[in-house]
Each structure stands twice: as C-alpha cells, then as structure tokens.
Amino acid sequence: MGRTRSQEEENSLLKPPPPPPAATATAATATAAAASRRLTPPPVLILVVAMVPIFFHLSTSFPSKSTYHSLFLSLFDNATAARHLAALTSRPHLAGTPSASAASSYVISTLSSLSLPSHSSFYDVLLTYPISRSLSLSSIPFDLIQEPYPGDPFPVADVIPTFHAYAFTGTATGPAVYAGFGRAEDFAVLKSMGMNLTGTVVLARYGKIYRGDIVKNAQDAGAAGVVVYTDKKDYGGGKEGKWVPEGQWMPPSGVQVGSTWRGLGDPTTPGWPSVRGTCERVAKEAAVAAGLMPGIPSLPVSARDGEAIQRSIGGQVAPDDWQGADGDPAYHIGPGPGFLNLSYIGNETLATIQNVFAVIEGVEEPDRYVLLGNHRDAWTFGAVDPNSGTAALLEIAQRLSKLQKRGWRPRRTIILCNWDAEEYGLIGSTEWVEENREMLTSRAVAYLNVDSAVAGPGFHASATPQLDDLLKKATKQVQDPDNTSRTLYESWMESAESPLIRWRWVRFYGFLSQHVGVPSVDMSFGEGYPVYHSLYDDFFWMENFGDPMFQRHIAAASVWGLIALRLADEKFLPFDYTAYASELQRSTKILEDEVSGTDVSFAPLYNSIEILKKAAIKIGSERKALEDQSWTSKWRTDSLKIRDLNDRLIMAERALTDRDGLFQRNWYKHLVYGPAQNNDYGSKSFPGIDDAIENAKITNTPDSWRFVQHEIWRVARAITQASLVLNGKLT
C-alpha cells in the first residue's frame, strides 16, 4: 500500500532556519553605545535599520509556497484512499434515495473531521425511477436481471432494477431492426439500404454515442421503441475475455443503465435553479416536445439478451463495423422476423438532492475561486464512476488540512465541490451554477473536474488550452504509478494521441466551461472500462482490476491537487493564451478542409486568431515586466496591476461565450468548445460552425451555406472580444 511520510520528515521540510545568536555585551559594545549617544541618527534611519532584521526574519521563517506544494505531494496515504472508496461503495446510492443521503453524510463527516468548513446546497428536482418494465421476443420474456457473481459481498438486492432514466412511459411492439451503434450516420445507412423503420423496435449497441442520442435518432427515424445492449465485443472482452469475478470484463447478464435526458440540469427548471420550496416549473412535456426527452420507450439489456435478439433478425447482412466478435455469426439488419414487445412505466417525482462543499478561504484574494469538483451519486455502487473521484477528492482534502496545520494559507479561495444527481444529467452542478451564475462569472478562476479518477492504467486529460502547460508541468512532478522509474509526464508523452490534450467528454463538466466560460480541466486514469454503469462497478472490481494498490488514486489526487495549488497560490495565474491561439488555428484548418470547394471563407476566423495571438504575447510581456520589478517598488501599485492582469486572463475565456448560445441549443454559451449536436458525449471545436456545416451538407441550399458563413463571423467576433479583454483597454 506504500507508506505515509513520517511526522519528522514532514516537519523537516518546513523547519525555518535558526535565529541568529544573541549578542554578548562587551566593553567594546559599551564604548560603541556611548559613541552613539554623542552622534544620534535621525528617527527615520533608526526605523529603517530596525526593520531590516524583521524583514529578514519574516522572509526566512515562513516556507515558500513551492515548499508547501512539495510537501503536498509527499502527504499521500494509499490506505486512506482505499478506506474512503470502501465506505462510499458499501451500498448502491442512486440520487434521491436514503443511501444517497448516507453517502453525503459520509463526505460531510470526513470534511468536518479534517476541520474544513463545509456546507450543503439542496434542490428539489425531477428524478425518475422504474415501476415496471418488460421485454419479450416473439412471446418469450426476458428476465432483465443482472446476476450477482459467486461470493458477491455487496447488497445487490438494494440495486434499482435496470432502466433508462427519463424513459418514455409506454409500450412498443414491432419487428426488430438492428441499427449498429444508433448514430445518425447508422440510420442514414439503413435508409440507403431501403429500410423503413416506421413501427419497428430498434436494437442498438452501446459504445459510440450517448444513449439519449441513440433513442432520439431512432425516434426521428420513425421507430416505436429502442433496446440498447452491451455487445460482448465491446464490453465482454470478445470470445476470450474473462468476466467478473475471474476477469475485468462485463458478465453476460451485465447491463449498462443510464439517463436519456439530452439537456442539463432539472428538466422542470430550464435555465434557472430548482430552489427548495416554491419556484417556477415547466411541465415535463415541454422537454419531450423540444426533443430533449424521449417520446418513445426504451430499455437497456445485457449482451446475452441482445445477442438473442440479434439471432432472431434476418434480412441483409449488417456493415462490417457493426459486426460482433470474431467467430460469431454474422449480424443482420432485419426487419424481423424476430418480433419485440417492450413496456416501461416510470415514476417521475420531485426528489431532494444535496451538493456538499468545503471552503478554504484565500488570504490575499478570498473573492477568487479555484473549484475542484466530482459527483457522488451512482447508478449502483459506483467504484469507478464516480467514487474513485470522490475518494481522490477526500484524499486532497486530507492533504490540504495537513498543510493548514503547518502554516499554509492559499492566496485564493479553494472550494471542494461534491455534486449530487449528476448521473441523471449533471443536475446538482447545473442547478448550483444557475443559482450562482453571476458570482461565478465574476469570481471563478478555474474548474478542475475528476469523476472517474481511476478506471485502469494510462493517464488521460483534457483542458481549455490556456491550462495545457500547467497540466503538463504538474504531471512532471508526479511519479507514474505504473512505472516508478518515470514521471507521469514521460509515460503520457509516449502513449498520448495527437493532439496531446483534447477537449473531450464535455457532458461531464461543461456546466461551468460551456455555460459561464470558466477555464476547465478534466483528467482520469484509464479511458472507459467494461463494467460501466453496471452492477459490477464495485469495490471488488477496483481492488482486483482497476487499482489493486490504490497508487493510481494517489497519483490522480496529486496531479489534481497540485494544479489547484498552483492556481490558488501563484501571484500570477499560470494561463497561456498563445497555446490557445495555436489550438484555434489547428481546429480552424480542420473545418476549412471539410468545406473545400465551397464559397465559405475562414478568413475572418484566421484574422481574429492572429489578433488573439498578438494580445497573448503582449500580456505575456506585461507579466514579465511586473515579475522583474524589485520588491522595493510601490507595493500597492504592483498589487493592483497584478490583480488587473490576472482578471484579464480569467475573463478572456468568458468573452468566448455568447448570450444567445449555440443555435437551437442556447444553454451552451461557449462558441469555441461544446458538445456535438448528435452526441452529448462527444466534443467539437467551434460547435456552431460544425452544426451549420453538417446541415449545409444535407440541405445544400444557398441559405444553409450563408448560415455557415454567419457562424464563422460569430465566432470570429467572440475571439476578437477575448483579445480586447486580454489587452485591457477600450478601443
């Protein structure tokens, strides 16, 4: 399990130098004193001389911030991280249930034991739970049960039956049709093959896009219902994979549950907080009419049930990339002859959810917030998603508490955020952001998110580009948990795709970056894991397959916390907008290549990026000039200049948002980064431009291509605004 550094070793890092020895009175000093009485210096000179040793003492008595940061990295405890995870995953804790309240109580009690001021925010939100569900294939029913593995020590009887949150209550009967991964392009393939989906029940497999988008795509194609399954090729390790408990793979009866809500936050309070008591609410039907909630029923099923349905489907052979594991019978698209009968009834109710916070107030800039966030609720036990992240967050809290006891105080305020009801659609975090939008707009420095901190080996991270360098530097200070001879950075460089840091999985933390415009980071060990959102995402899986020694948890907490410390403690915020400009230029070229041969011009966008690059260089020069100034200069003036420079670095990201938001998706305000239109799991650079291009390719009308040009100008104006903010002067 590793070891915890001893108290003596920790204290030695912070031991100040000994004070100078006391002077001894001598005859010589007496003579000097007499002489001084004959030639007394002015009072001001006496004050200056007296202050010099005081300043020297102060400068040598208090450790530097970097010393505290080094100490933070040394204060790890594998056993504590494991203990937190075991406690959090002892019971399933779906949002709105009594066990969810128990999990929040554990987080609060842990923070209180560390003497960290904590509080909660509560919201009444619309959640859904299954009342009844059934599925039969040509009159043969499925049991829809996830089977416990032999010796399973966890209370599986408390797990909510498999379902899709916010699924449409109703029935669907019809011939089965296989639609691959349920992407928009998959349904286009079916149409090109002459398939009419009206009145059919679609079978689609998990693995490429968000399940809510699968259901929406099927509904748009005319299907009566949807069954989504976990194919053993994707989650079961293929024909040779060993499943839990012998191996890491999903057992044949395993089911990935999850939400189908395509919006963010409480569906009944779109754009404003669901405060407890009386607040304005809209009917759920408004979300259905807007296409954000399904209008047809759906169910998730296991690999075993999905394969049974697949074997009942005839017709044309499915495309190669829709096929199953090597050696399996060929998949066909239908329709039928297998006939599906699906029924689902859900309970939609207002439930109370609880976000938990710990606040470490900054000394010099208490009104600037560095936020670290992770959600707590889980569909079942949630060992990977999300409680590996919660365990890492509590590990950070413990280390920060120890730093405080040794004299550390952050320059800026650090807020640890533990969200509720995220699995339903980022509900807890979104409601809090909507309630605190204006405060966050003016005060948030950055948001650092880690939900699935550990799903396996390999470090993955993404960030808004001004934080790229900060993220890389942090990984250079942390040891690779899977190769102790290397830093995490070295291993990351060797294995990473290009670009190294990409803005991905935006659904999980876009509530701050894409709604308010807060610089953001997300990171994890492992990228995807086979027992996702299933009964088997438990402590046993983590202890045996995800992180047996809990060293990856420690590394995740170290990188996460170190980034937070640098953002909270450094006098100058470590933001680099030259990297931002370079990334925008690269992304622009990708989109430009997509529309080659058209009249669309990306010149406005390229011009605005050049302006941003010049502004980034200029503010970098300003920073260097301030850093080079002597400590003897006018402190008050310098302090105001530093504050102004940092505020410009913060607010430049806000300038990339637009009050009107993305076209037909106005909650998303950020014009540079946002979710893909047909996949909430995916991410796009310039999402508004990308949406317009996709529509223009389909309709190919002059108006649709003019709209592409309009979106380009719109983004160019936002980037120019960001440049003006960095420059800090009116035109």
Side-chain angles (χ1 to χ4, degrees):
M1 282 289 188
R3 71 178 184 90
T4 305
R5 189 182 291 271
S6 70
Q7 186 71 50
E8 291 76 12
E9 289 175 301
E10 294 169 10
N11 290 338
S12 70
L13 290 172
L14 296 177
K15 188 179 294 182
T24 303
T26 65
T29 57
T31 302
S36 69
R37 285 192 295 271
R38 290 192 301 270
L39 191 62
T40 304
V44 173
L45 182 58
I46 294 174
L47 179 62
V48 171
V49 171
M51 290 294 287
V52 168
I54 295 175
F55 276 118
F56 175 78
H57 177 72
L58 288 174
S59 65
T60 57
S61 296
F62 294 101
S64 67
K65 295 290 189 181
S66 61
T67 301
Y68 282 118
H69 297 178
S70 296
L71 178 59
F72 172 84
L73 294 176
S74 74
L75 294 174
F76 58 84
D77 191 339
N78 309 46
T80 302
R83 185 170 66 249
H84 287 318
L85 187 64
L88 289 162
T89 59
S90 61
R91 299 170 61 190
H93 46 287
L94 184 60
T97 65
S99 55
S101 297
S104 65
S105 296
Y106 177 82
V107 172
I108 292 171
S109 65
T110 300
L111 296 173
S112 298
S113 71
L114 299 172
S115 301
L116 296 179
S118 61
H119 68 278
S120 297
S121 64
F122 297 87
Y123 301 97
D124 292 337
V125 300
L126 183 72
L127 301 181
T128 73
Y129 307 94
I131 295 175
S132 69
R133 73 243 203 282
S134 65
L135 180 68
S136 62
L137 173 63
S138 301
S139 300
I140 301 174
F142 295 103
D143 60 22
L144 304 178
I145 293 174
Q146 299 188 85
E147 298 171 356
Y149 52 83
D152 189 340
F154 302 103
V156 296
D158 296 340
V159 174
I160 300 292
T162 56
F163 78 116
H164 279 155
Y166 303 109
F168 185 82
T169 289
T171 60
T173 59
V177 169
Y178 177 48
F181 293 95
R183 299 166 294 188
E185 56 264 38
D186 294 338
F187 284 99
V189 168
L190 290 178
K191 184 177 180 181
S192 70
M193 298 172 75
M195 180 70 68
N196 181 0
L197 295 178
T198 303
T200 63
V201 177
V202 162
L203 175 71
R205 66 203 261 191
Y206 280 116
K208 297 294 184 182
I209 66 171
Y210 176 58
R211 71 189 65 79
D213 293 315
I214 294 175
V215 178
K216 176 66 162 55
N217 292 338
Q219 179 180 334
D220 290 346
V226 184
V227 174
V228 190
Y229 80 104
T230 51
D231 194 283
K232 69 181 180 184
K233 177 181 179 181
D234 307 312
Y235 295 89
K239 296 182 74 68
E240 304 301 323
K242 293 184 181 297
W243 59 76
V244 178
E246 285 77 24
Q248 65 169 325
W249 296 98
M250 180 88 89
S253 68
V255 178
Q256 181 191 135
V257 300
S259 181
T260 56
W261 166 231
R262 298 177 65 245
L264 295 180
D266 177 15
T268 68
T269 59
W272 62 89
S274 296
V275 294
R276 301 185 76 183
T278 303
C279 74
E280 180 186 7
R281 295 188 185 274
V282 300
K284 182 206 75 171
E285 286 70 23
V288 176
L292 297 175
M293 202 175 285
I296 58 175
S298 67
L299 279 176
V301 301
S302 65
R304 183 169 59 201
D305 294 346
E307 288 169 8
I309 297 171
Q310 178 57 243
R311 288 194 298 269
S312 77
I313 298 175
Q316 300 179 65
V317 174
D320 290 344
D321 61 340
W322 297 10
Q323 294 297 328
D326 291 342
D328 280 352
Y331 289 179
H332 295 254
I333 64 170
F339 196 88
L340 290 171
N341 191 323
L342 182 159
S343 175
Y344 175 78
I345 299 175
N347 172 28
E348 296 165 350
T349 183
L350 284 181
T352 299
I353 63 171
Q354 180 180 6
N355 297 328
V356 178
F357 305 90
V359 180
I360 304 173
E361 189 167 333
V363 176
E364 288 98 334
E365 299 181 71
D367 60 338
R368 292 295 177 264
Y369 308 144
V370 177
L371 302 110
L372 292 77
N374 152 267
H375 78 91
R376 181 182 62 254
D377 63 295
W379 294 112
T380 59
F381 300 99
V384 175
D385 182 14
N387 295 129
S388 62
T390 311
L393 189 70
L394 295 178
E395 164 72 14
I396 290 172
Q398 180 168 298
R399 297 195 211 180
L400 296 181
S401 175
K402 289 182 178 180
L403 289 188
Q404 283 188 300
K405 291 174 182 176
R406 288 158 177 79
W408 166 79
R409 297 293 183 270
R411 179 185 182 90
R412 303 178 186 92
T413 296
I414 293 176
I415 305 178
L416 307 180
C417 313
N418 192 225
W419 312 115
D420 199 359
E422 295 300 277
E423 293 290 12
Y424 277 86
L426 275 70
I427 291 181
S429 59
T430 298
E431 297 310 308
W432 184 77
V433 167
E434 289 175 343
E435 185 171 29
N436 297 280
R437 182 188 295 112
E438 301 311 317
M439 287 279 283
L440 291 168
T441 298
S442 62
R443 298 186 175 190
V445 173
Y447 176 64
L448 316 176
N449 188 81
V450 176
D451 281 332
S452 299
V454 180
F459 182 71
H460 301 271
S462 55
T464 44
Q466 75 273 65
L467 299 177
D468 283 3
D469 189 57
L470 174 60
L471 183 51
K472 292 175 184 177
K473 285 180 178 177
T475 60
K476 290 178 181 179
Q477 294 182 251
V478 176
Q479 186 182 69
D480 182 353
D482 298 302
N483 186 343
T484 56
S485 67
R486 311 178 72 176
T487 66
L488 189 56
Y489 177 80
E490 289 169 332
S491 297
W492 188 22
M493 290 299 105
E494 187 174 277
S495 63
E497 302 172 13
S498 181
L500 178 62
I501 299 174
R502 61 198 188 284
W503 194 232
R504 63 178 175 85
W505 298 108
V506 292
R507 182 175 177 80
F508 298 139
Y509 50 101
F511 52 91
L512 265 170
S513 65
Q514 293 159 20
H515 188 64
V516 178
V518 175
S520 299
V521 171
D522 183 66
M523 65 192 84
S524 67
F525 279 90
E527 192 172 31
Y529 63 106
V531 296
Y532 178 67
H533 282 192
S534 75
L535 175 72
Y536 314 101
D537 182 7
D538 58 19
F539 189 80
F540 174 88
W541 191 92
M542 180 63 72
E543 193 175 36
N544 285 273
F545 309 113
D547 193 11
M549 298 299 292
F550 284 83
Q551 292 172 340
R552 293 169 188 153
H553 281 75
I554 295 305
S558 294
V559 176
W560 193 6
L562 185 58
I563 292 172
L565 284 171
R566 289 195 58 195
L567 288 168
D569 283 342
E570 291 194 6
K571 184 181 293 186
F572 295 92
L573 287 174
F575 289 179
D576 178 12
Y577 278 91
T578 58
Y580 215 129
S582 297
E583 178 65 19
L584 295 181
Q585 199 160 22
R586 186 192 68 82
S587 300
T588 301
K589 183 64 170 64
I590 292 173
L591 279 183
E592 186 179 38
D593 290 344
E594 284 190 29
V595 297
S596 60
T598 70
D599 292 333
V600 173
S601 171
F602 279 84
L605 198 47
Y606 281 121
N607 292 338
S608 67
I609 295 169
E610 282 300 316
I611 295 171
L612 178 66
K613 188 181 298 183
K614 292 176 182 177
I617 294 171
K618 179 176 178 291
I619 199 170
S621 299
E622 288 182 52
R623 170 180 172 155
K624 188 175 186 309
L626 284 171
E627 287 176 322
D628 290 344
Q629 285 183 4
S630 168
W631 65 273
T632 59
S633 63
K634 297 177 181 179
W635 297 342
R636 179 63 179 166
T637 302
D638 285 353
S639 176
L640 291 174
K641 287 181 178 179
I642 292 168
R643 172 83 164 192
D644 170 69
L645 185 142
N646 284 336
D647 283 353
R648 285 148 55 194
L649 291 170
I650 293 170
M651 299 305 292
E653 186 75 28
R654 312 283 200 273
L656 298 173
T657 64
D658 185 280
R659 68 172 65 89
D660 294 330
L662 299 181
F663 180 65
Q664 296 182 337
R665 295 187 289 159
N666 62 3
W667 194 91
Y668 297 99
K669 307 297 185 185
H670 208 291
L671 298 187
V672 172
Y673 294 111
Q677 189 172 31
N678 293 309
N679 178 16
D680 271 7
Y681 279 163
S683 171
K684 290 288 186 181
S685 299
F686 310 127
I689 300 174
D690 187 78
D691 290 349
I693 289 173
E694 291 303 312
N695 179 66
K697 286 179 179 178
I698 295 170
T699 60
N700 198 28
T701 64
D703 283 347
S704 66
W705 287 110
R706 276 194 292 271
F707 190 71
V708 172
Q709 192 67 65
H710 166 72
E711 287 293 322
I712 291 171
W713 275 109
R714 194 174 172 217
V715 176
R717 287 191 289 270
I719 294 173
T720 301
Q721 284 295 317
S723 304
L724 291 173
V725 171
L726 286 179
N727 285 326
K729 294 181 180 179
L730 296 172
T731 58

